[in-house]
Amino acid sequence: MGTFIGHVCPGLLLVLYGLYQAIVVSRAVIFNDSLLYPLWSPKNKGRWARLWKISSEGLLKIVAGSLLVIYEISCTNGALKLMNRELPPRFLYPKEWQHLTMFSLLILNGCVDVMSKNMLPQRCVVLEKGALVLSFYELLLLMVSHVKESSGIELQVHYLLILVVFLLLLVLTVELWAPEMFQLWMMETLLILIMGSWLIQAGFILYRPVSGYPWDDDDMNDLMFVTTFFCWHVMFDALCLFGIYGFSYFWHRCCYPSLKMMGSKEAPYHKSTPEPLYRLLQEIEQPEKEDQAPLLAKSSPRDKA
């Protein structure tokens, strides 16, 4: 990952995923739909319907993580070894192994998504969210350790990236208790876009400057403009998110207003949000009380006799 392609490709994947999630969240907000259990479904049946039900996000994570692992191994000079044969033995390629660990977390998270949505009898949202939060906790630890040998411009770029990862981790942690809150999904989408666009910008800053001259670590103007560019990315990504929401609102409300009625007709078939435990207990206890009432009425005359 310590190359221009190694920064741009993951960043581009994050941007595309963020744009896709922005469209999904915008549609859910406009139609007041559920984010975890959407009302709409494909009309086709048979084999294509089975393929549609496969977790596309999970498969995307698995494929993207596998390609990044292959690229990281191919970019390593020589064989990727964990330790040398000298005495005492020393660890080799520490940054490369950290990159492989990050990409492996992405693959494992995709496997959890596929297993939860397609293999378990019932989808387990807590398992998906928990695996994602655990992956970002480990990602944050790896990134903090990753910048130990960095300095100057590189350190500033990675510090800002760590800030985004930390904020995204907080949002994902809160989503464990409020997985259907639209505000959290909007913040998550915005942070994913910022993380992806900043990774792309980091590739140009560190490896291919637009001016053709490398950034100066000792120049305070360069250090200050790194933060300025980051703020521009935040504003641009926020405007992009609002633009997608505005376009989606215009598209669904003005161009295709009948989609809302179609979604509401399909709601009884697809809506399967789990009820809280105390509601289920009340529903079980209520029929038992109704069954016991006639028995008490019959037994009361005998007691008087």
Side-chain angles (χ1 to χ4, degrees):
M1 192 176 176
T3 60
F4 175 76
I5 301 297
H7 283 76
V8 172
C9 286
L12 185 60
L13 290 174
L14 287 172
V15 169
L16 294 177
Y17 178 76
L19 293 176
Y20 164 76
Q21 184 163 308
I23 297 173
V24 173
V25 175
S26 298
R27 186 187 186 281
V29 173
I30 293 170
F31 291 153
N32 196 19
D33 196 358
S34 173
L35 289 165
L36 300 176
Y37 302 92
L39 302 180
W40 61 276
S41 65
K43 295 183 179 180
N44 53 356
K45 297 180 180 180
R47 297 180 180 180
W48 294 108
R50 293 181 180 180
L51 291 176
W52 184 270
K53 293 180 181 179
I54 296 177
S55 175
S56 57
E57 297 178 5
L59 290 177
L60 177 63
K61 293 176 182 179
I62 295 173
V63 173
S66 302
L67 292 177
L68 291 173
V69 167
I70 295 173
Y71 176 78
E72 184 68 28
I73 295 176
S74 63
C75 292
T76 305
N77 296 326
L80 186 62
K81 298 180 180 179
L82 182 62
M83 302 179 69
N84 57 18
R85 297 182 179 180
E86 300 177 359
L87 295 177
R90 300 294 182 184
F91 289 105
L92 302 175
Y93 306 106
K95 290 189 175 183
E96 285 76 5
W97 282 108
Q98 286 187 342
H99 295 158
L100 290 176
T101 305
M102 297 177 188
F103 303 149
S104 300
L105 291 173
L106 181 61
I107 296 174
L108 292 176
N109 187 251
C111 293
V112 171
D113 289 346
V114 173
M115 180 182 66
S116 174
K117 295 179 181 179
N118 302 116
M119 297 182 181
L120 295 181
Q122 186 177 2
R123 181 182 177 185
C124 185
V125 179
V126 178
L127 177 62
E128 299 174 22
K129 294 291 184 180
L132 184 60
V133 171
L134 181 60
S135 300
F136 269 89
Y137 269 106
E138 295 187 15
L139 176 62
L140 182 61
L141 293 175
L142 290 171
M143 292 192 65
V144 171
S145 174
H146 198 68
V147 298
K148 293 295 184 180
E149 298 180 357
S150 303
S151 61
I153 298 295
E154 183 180 0
L155 182 62
Q156 184 75 3
V157 168
H158 284 87
Y159 269 163
L160 294 173
L161 184 61
I162 291 174
L163 175 62
V164 178
V165 174
F166 176 72
L167 295 176
L168 184 56
L169 177 59
L170 293 180
V171 173
L172 294 175
T173 304
V174 177
E175 281 186 6
L176 288 173
W177 287 270
E180 288 278 8
M181 187 176 292
F182 291 111
Q183 294 86 346
L184 293 176
W185 281 80
M186 282 292 186
M187 288 189 289
E188 176 189 345
T189 305
L190 176 60
L191 291 172
I192 290 175
L193 288 173
I194 296 172
M195 185 177 176
S197 63
W198 187 243
L199 267 175
I200 297 175
Q201 181 68 60
F204 283 97
I205 292 176
L206 299 177
Y207 301 100
R208 290 187 184 179
V210 178
S211 63
Y213 296 93
W215 290 57
D216 189 1
D217 294 336
D218 299 326
D219 191 349
M220 186 57 62
N221 293 332
D222 287 357
L223 290 172
M224 293 176 65
F225 262 98
V226 170
T227 307
T228 303
F229 286 160
F230 178 79
C231 295
W232 290 354
H233 275 269
V234 174
M235 293 186 292
F236 176 79
D237 293 328
L239 290 175
C240 182
L241 182 60
F242 290 138
I244 292 175
Y245 176 79
F247 179 79
S248 300
Y249 184 88
F250 174 79
W251 181 264
H252 291 296
R253 294 286 185 176
C254 300
C255 297
Y256 294 97
S258 60
L259 288 177
K260 186 176 181 180
M261 298 299 297
M262 293 173 58
S264 61
K265 292 179 180 179
E266 297 175 354
Y269 180 78
H270 294 278
K271 188 70 174 178
S272 61
T273 53
E275 294 292 336
L277 181 60
Y278 70 90
R279 292 185 182 177
L280 296 177
L281 293 176
Q282 288 179 355
E283 293 177 358
I284 295 174
E285 292 176 357
Q286 187 174 0
E288 293 179 354
K289 292 181 180 180
E290 294 177 356
D291 295 339
Q292 292 177 359
L295 295 177
L296 293 174
K298 292 180 181 180
S299 61
S300 58
R302 297 179 181 177
D303 295 339
K304 290 181 180 179

